[in-house]
Amino acid sequence: MEALVFSICVATNHHAEILISRGERSSYASQGNWTPLTVEELYRFLGIILYMSVVKFQMLERYWSMQVLYRNNPVPGVMSRTRFQAILSFLQVTPPADINKAEKLTRVQSLVDHVKEKSKELYQPHREIAVDERMVSSKHKFSGIRQFIKDKPIRFGIKLWVVACNMSGYTYDFFVYLGKKNTIFTDRAKTLGKELFARKLYQLVGVLKSNSLSIPDELRDVKIWERVATCGDFRWHRVDEFVFVQWKDCKVVTFMSPLHQGSATTNLENRMKVRLQIVLQGLDNLNSVNHLVCH
């Protein structure tokens, strides 16, 4: 970690000196010179960033506000607003000389590699793991890797393919999706399942996309079945060692498994309905209290 932080300081200082020498962002220079960023100062800067991710104000300036409402805010005692904005303006992970514009992750590759290495080093996942896509919220526009997925809780951001522990949700490893031109994916879920099955690894249970080539022909009329099925309905079809199940919730979900029986059923708790019931119960209790106070 120390080596990475030091390299970020070096890259940031180099970047700042180059821009200031060109007359750019000179308002952040002291008497025409850049005050070098130190390791200790960068740690304080990162601490403020983490604090801002938890305690959210509508405007950046309010973290340095002297108003009574913000008097318990620790940020002003850690770093001045001018210095924070200066570091934010010049922050650089990769030294300018090492940037390869043909590579979309060139500016953050060393940071990504470090996070991946530490993620695997500091945690041992349980037996059940999942491979799935995950969105990291981001408002940036110029990297060429920002994605939009309408059905996700986070619709705009950076898309990752992650290997996660099923028990804890911990991300053990991840891969940054760089777009179709930079990433090759083949629909081989069934082929992969057969290869694992041949090696006596029977744990592959996966959700398939609606256009997956692995879905058997008998279950491909998804749109027709979706119109006639009601919430909770399911159907299944077995092909060799695998059972393919389609289940209707808000939309049709298809998954494949070598472990389950197609006719087996289980109970599923709708978390959104449970949460709604809790909220309504809370409102009922509040109304009851108000009624007693009024009388």
Side-chain angles (χ1 to χ4, degrees):
M1 183 66 180
E2 288 290 339
L4 176 64
V5 172
F6 179 76
S7 68
I8 292 175
C9 288
V10 172
T12 300
N13 290 333
H14 190 192
H15 184 55
E17 290 168 359
I18 291 175
L19 293 183
I20 291 174
S21 66
R22 296 174 182 170
E24 301 178 30
R25 308 178 198 177
S26 56
S27 60
Y28 294 125
S30 176
Q31 298 180 348
N33 297 314
W34 166 250
T35 303
L37 175 65
T38 65
V39 170
E40 185 272 338
E41 193 177 27
L42 180 56
Y43 273 122
R44 286 191 278 126
F45 173 85
L46 296 176
I48 293 174
I49 294 293
L50 291 174
Y51 178 81
M52 289 178 173
S53 70
V54 178
V55 181
K56 299 181 183 296
F57 296 156
Q58 290 183 341
M59 300 173 61
L60 180 67
E61 291 77 12
R62 291 184 179 177
Y63 289 96
W64 285 269
S65 174
M66 295 293 104
Q67 296 181 15
V68 176
L69 182 62
Y70 306 102
R71 63 185 177 185
N72 294 323
N73 171 33
V75 172
V78 178
M79 182 179 290
S80 70
R81 187 181 74 179
T82 301
R83 184 57 174 171
F84 177 86
Q85 290 179 317
I87 297 172
L88 186 64
S89 177
F90 295 117
L91 188 65
Q92 195 83 1
V93 175
T94 304
D98 295 338
I99 292 176
N100 178 6
K101 294 184 178 181
E103 300 291 335
K104 291 186 177 182
L105 294 179
T106 184
R107 295 182 183 274
V108 293
Q109 189 64 64
S110 60
L111 180 60
V112 170
D113 292 341
H114 178 80
V115 173
K116 292 177 68 173
E117 177 186 345
K118 291 301 179 182
S119 296
K120 289 184 282 189
E121 178 183 316
L122 300 175
Y123 185 81
Q124 176 63 40
H126 292 77
R127 183 185 66 177
E128 292 81 13
I129 61 174
V131 178
D132 200 359
E133 60 185 18
R134 181 175 296 173
M135 292 289 285
V136 178
S137 180
S138 176
K139 295 181 180 180
H140 76 283
K141 300 179 181 179
F142 307 110
S143 70
I145 61 174
R146 187 167 179 249
Q147 301 290 317
F148 169 73
I149 303 180
K150 66 177 182 179
D151 295 329
K152 290 288 185 180
I154 299 175
R155 297 189 300 163
F156 292 94
I158 299 173
K159 178 178 172 180
L160 306 178
W161 286 103
V162 303
V163 177
C165 174
N166 250 17
M167 302 297 291
S168 65
Y170 180 92
T171 298
Y172 182 73
D173 199 0
F174 66 91
F175 174 83
V176 182
Y177 178 71
L178 301 178
K180 292 182 178 179
K181 292 184 180 179
N182 297 79
T183 311
I184 298 175
F185 284 102
T186 57
D187 190 348
R188 298 180 63 245
K190 186 177 177 182
T191 304
L192 175 60
K194 284 182 173 292
E195 292 177 359
L196 293 175
F197 200 88
R199 297 170 184 249
K200 298 183 178 180
L201 297 173
Y202 310 117
Q203 309 302 320
L204 177 65
V205 178
V207 176
L208 302 175
K209 292 185 177 181
S210 59
N211 60 350
S212 172
L213 299 177
S214 296
I215 297 177
D217 294 338
E218 291 79 2
L219 299 180
R220 286 192 173 279
D221 58 337
V222 176
K223 293 184 178 180
I224 298 175
W225 185 72
E226 188 173 19
R227 288 198 294 265
V228 299
T230 59
C231 185
D233 286 353
F234 72 96
R235 61 179 183 170
W236 61 274
H237 184 78
R238 179 169 291 280
V239 178
D240 301 327
E241 303 93 346
F242 298 92
V243 63
F244 294 81
V245 179
Q246 285 183 338
W247 173 61
K248 173 71 179 296
D249 187 27
C250 299
K251 60 180 182 179
V252 175
V253 179
T254 305
F255 71 89
M256 59 176 286
S257 170
L259 304 175
H260 300 88
Q261 296 177 350
S263 57
T265 60
T266 186
N267 293 323
L268 178 66
E269 182 179 66
N270 189 314
R271 295 185 180 180
M272 292 302 295
K273 287 185 178 180
V274 171
R275 292 174 185 172
L276 180 60
Q277 290 173 356
I278 294 174
V279 172
L280 293 176
Q281 183 63 45
L283 292 175
D284 289 340
N285 294 338
L286 181 61
N287 290 334
S288 299
V289 172
N290 290 336
H291 180 75
L292 291 174
V293 172
C294 292
H295 290 78

